[in-house]
């Protein structure tokens, strides 16, 4: 099916609504009703603080998808900059625009999954709001999927002939290459850009993978490809990653941690929950914190061993709590008073864990288990207890 030529884009006339959003919405193009027929494509856009990028995004989508029966689902995680309010104003003027607002939750992947599930379209495209994905590629993705019913996913790739990462600094380029190679070799996924956030897929491909998806982090495509019960057939279409239009990237330490955990989950998830692995990794870091505090307390503070050891236990517990709150349970992070009471409950639970650790290790050693095996068994029992107990009493929101 050929894509007919571009429709006209009209500028919005005024309308009722809050004064601030009214003036901002007036700058947005109203999508001309460019096609009839059943809905074919839902463009799903995750947003966090992207208000300034909406006008440009919608104008570019409208041009790229001329003649296609499409809708726009923007999934906003309660952005403080008023992204959702602006979208509501736009949705009043054009029924093809929807805003799905999530409160108290964060996460690019989870947002995209919910956006896709909210739509009746047979095809979904995932596109960033900040202009880094070249929306003009959507027409080629759509044509590829229309032309070949056996194809499941069309991927926008930066790492094939004709693609590129634009103005990225060397460090980000190196990181991205490293992450790409790690993902390829650990998961066996053989696509050039498994970290791409820009792709189009069939509903059936989503549904097949749905229950195996992790929802954490940024790497939805990698997750889809690896969670699918049958290998997905993909086509890769090169594009140039563009500079972000307005605002800032949300890729931070926590997103990188989520990526590591996604890889770990793919490797070990069948046997161990990713959260337990993250919890154990934080705990190992806690051992280093403990030793550092113990040594400094004795050397610089002149503390007797037992006092320094008690101090080290307290500091390591507090730092473990903070890191778990930030990384392991980032999707249900405790703040304010709940963070303080969470810390106290965490210390309480871990004290019981420490007692169990010592008890089990002592019992095994007494029975002739040897110091290493007995010690490690104690650590294992303590860790599993701490994980289970804190999951219930500290981060107990239903999952
Ligand atoms: N709803 C929601 N919730 N949206 C989010 C969140 C979140 O917690 N975090 C980020 N987003 C949205 C942003 O608002 C933007 O529209 C899009 O997701 C991408 O976020 P950026 O912060 O711009 O990410 P990036 O440019 O660093 O990363 C992009 O490139 C990576 C490859 O290098 C993304 O496309 C990644 O998916 C991709 O892996
Ligand atoms: Mn971006």
């Amino acid at each position: 099916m050929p894509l007919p030529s571009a429709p006209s884009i009209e500028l919005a006339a005024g309308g009722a609504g809050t004064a601030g959003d009214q003036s901002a919405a007036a700058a947005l193009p109203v999508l001309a009703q460019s096609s009839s027929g059943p809905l074919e494509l839902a463009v799903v856009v995750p947003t966090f603080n992207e208000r300034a990028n909406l006008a440009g995004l919608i104008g570019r989508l409208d041009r790229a998808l001329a003649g296609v029966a499409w809708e726009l689902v923007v999934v906003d995680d309660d952005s403080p900059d008023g992204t959702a309010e602006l979208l509501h104003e736009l949705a009043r003027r054009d029924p093809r625009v929807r805003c799905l607002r999530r409160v108290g939750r964060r996460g690019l992947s989870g947002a995209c999954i919910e956006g896709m599930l909210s739509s009746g379209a047979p095809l979904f495209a995932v596109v960033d709001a900040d202009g880094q994905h070249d929306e003009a590629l959507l027409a080629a993705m759509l044509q590829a999927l229309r032309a070949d019913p056996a194809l499941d996913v069309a991927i926008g790739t930066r790492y094939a002939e004709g693609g590129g990462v634009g103005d990225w600094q060397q460090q980000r380029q190196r990181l991205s290459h490293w992450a790409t190679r790690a993902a390829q070799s650990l998961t066996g996924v053989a696509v050039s850009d498994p970290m791409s956030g820009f792709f189009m897929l069939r509903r059936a491909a989503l549904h097949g993978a749905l229950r195996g998806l992790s929802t954490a982090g940024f790497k939805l495509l990698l997750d889809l490809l690896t969670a699918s019960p049958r290998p997905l057939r993909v086509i890769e279409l090169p594009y140039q990653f563009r500079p972000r239009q307005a605002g800032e990237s949300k890729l931070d330490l926590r997103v990188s941690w989520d990526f590591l955990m996604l890889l770990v989950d793919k490797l070990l998830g069948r046997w161990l929950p990713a959260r337990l692995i993250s919890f154990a990794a934080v705990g190992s870091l806690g051992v280093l914190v403990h030793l550092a505090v113990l040594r400094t307390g004795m050397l610089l503070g002149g503390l007797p061993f037992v006092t320094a050891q008690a101090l080290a236990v307290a500091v390591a517990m507090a730092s473990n709590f903070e890191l778990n709150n930030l990384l392991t349970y980032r999707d249900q992070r405790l703040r304010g008073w709940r963070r303080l009471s969470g810390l106290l409950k965490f210390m309480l639970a871990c004290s019981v864990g420490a007692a169990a650790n010592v008890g089990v290790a002592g019992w095994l050693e007494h029975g002739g288990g040897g110091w290493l095996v007995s010690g490690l068994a104690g650590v294992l029992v303590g860790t599993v207890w701490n994980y289970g107990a804190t999951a219930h009493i500290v981060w107990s929101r239903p999952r």
Side-chain angles (χ1 to χ4, degrees), residues 45-50 75-78 102 105-109 111-112 127-130 132-133 158-159 168 172 176 193-198 218-220 239 241 244 248-251 255 330:
V45 177
T47 56
F48 189 74
N49 287 344
E50 302 288 0
V75 190
D76 183 62
D77 283 352
D78 208 16
R102 308 195 305 166
R105 280 186 296 159
R106 281 293 305 273
L108 192 162
S109 284
C112 293
V127 183
D128 286 353
D130 57 6
Q132 298 200 266
H133 296 158
R158 299 160 294 175
Y159 300 128
W168 268 8
R172 169 109 200 225
S176 178
D193 195 356
M195 327 295 282
S196 175
F198 185 27
F218 268 35
K219 306 307 168 199
L220 178 57
Y239 78 101
F241 200 68
R244 174 177 255 282
E248 287 168 4
S249 169
K250 282 91 205 172
L251 204 156
V255 172
R330 77 171 289 203

Side-chain angles (χ1 to χ4, degrees), residues 292-310:
V293 173
L294 175 62
R295 197 78 191 117
T296 331
M298 288 173 70
L299 279 184
L300 299 183
L303 299 176
F305 174 79
V306 176
T307 317
Q309 172 77 355

